[in-house]
Amino acid sequence: MRLFVALVPPPEVLDELAEAVRPHLGTVSELRWIRRELMHVTLTFLDEVDDRTLERLLPRLERAVRRHERMTLSLAGAGAFPGSGAHARVLWTGLYGDRRALARLAASTTAAGRRVGTIPDKHRGFRPHMTLARSRLPVDVRSLVEALSSFAGTPWTADSVHLMRSHLPGKDNAQLEYEPLMTWPLRHSSGGGGAGRSASGGPQGTP
């Protein structure tokens, strides 16, 4: 199974982003805009994980997340990968607020994955962003980066971390889908932790 660790902004934050993006949909025909239900902030991409490795990974991820406190984040501005956007494949919006705390959280979840051998050899360092659109071929998105540069979303509190499974398009599903496997709460600033929750919301102990 293909897994990644992520934060998911609350609905009201995605509402604001949708309003900002809506006037620009279709202006660059090569771009495929990310569906709302797929929007997330990737902390760690874990690649392919088998069932045995998943059993070893879950307690490590839980311990990693429980070391970190809730953080205040906001979406703002825009950018592109790679470079300035003249030959881009990805259009994104940036993350602001507790960026150091966010980077530490990403480092912890990545370390958990590395300990069980799930991190790809070509793993890149954490660059806080949320993808808005992709293109199979390089495309000029500089006009979109400029148009979205003034976007500034309302801050929100990131209070949990999700382990997600990717279901790629194929015979069983017509389009990309993400399935939440586990959710772990971040600590309140006053301390304390919590057991992970399954996708159904019930308590689940460490395997």
Side-chain angles (χ1 to χ4, degrees):
M1 63 191 81
R2 191 177 177 91
L3 304 181
F4 63 92
V5 183
L7 301 178
V8 178
E12 60 271 20
V13 169
L14 296 179
D15 287 342
E16 286 185 336
L17 180 62
E19 284 297 317
V21 166
R22 186 172 292 113
H24 310 292
L25 299 177
T27 57
V28 179
S29 60
E30 297 87 348
L31 284 177
R32 294 172 298 151
W33 293 84
I34 303 299
R35 306 196 319 269
R36 178 194 175 103
E37 65 269 23
L38 300 183
M39 287 190 166
H40 66 276
V41 178
T42 300
L43 298 173
T44 303
F45 175 62
L46 297 165
D47 206 0
E48 293 292 334
V49 178
D50 58 31
D51 289 340
R52 174 174 285 186
T53 303
L54 180 61
E55 290 181 3
R56 297 166 50 218
L57 175 65
L58 287 176
R60 286 172 170 82
L61 282 176
E62 181 180 3
R63 287 195 296 269
V65 172
R66 290 180 63 180
R67 288 197 295 266
H68 296 271
E69 295 181 355
R70 297 181 175 193
M71 60 193 76
T72 300
L73 301 170
S74 62
L75 301 175
F81 295 142
S84 64
H87 304 282
R89 292 178 182 269
V90 175
L91 175 70
W92 49 262
T93 186
L95 279 152
Y96 293 86
D98 296 334
R99 285 166 58 101
R100 290 185 179 180
L102 179 62
R104 289 193 296 268
L105 174 61
S108 291
T109 56
T110 298
R114 201 179 300 279
R115 289 189 188 100
V116 297
T118 65
I119 303 298
D121 292 338
K122 295 182 179 180
H123 176 75
R124 298 179 179 179
F126 178 65
R127 300 177 68 178
H129 70 283
M130 190 169 77
T131 298
L132 299 177
R134 297 181 182 273
S135 174
R136 293 185 180 276
L137 299 174
V139 62
D140 190 344
V141 297
R142 288 176 294 183
S143 61
L144 287 172
V145 171
E146 181 178 356
L148 293 170
S149 62
S150 61
F151 169 67
T154 301
W156 90 91
T157 299
D159 59 5
S160 58
V161 173
H162 307 276
L163 178 64
M164 310 288 283
R165 179 178 182 179
S166 298
H167 294 277
L168 301 178
K171 287 192 282 186
D172 297 330
N173 48 306
Q175 57 186 355
L176 176 65
E177 301 288 350
Y178 294 152
E179 175 191 0
L181 297 183
M182 287 291 295
T183 297
W184 296 284
L186 292 163
R187 290 193 296 114
H188 289 278
S189 58
S190 58
R197 301 192 303 274
S198 66
S200 63
Q204 180 165 327
T206 301

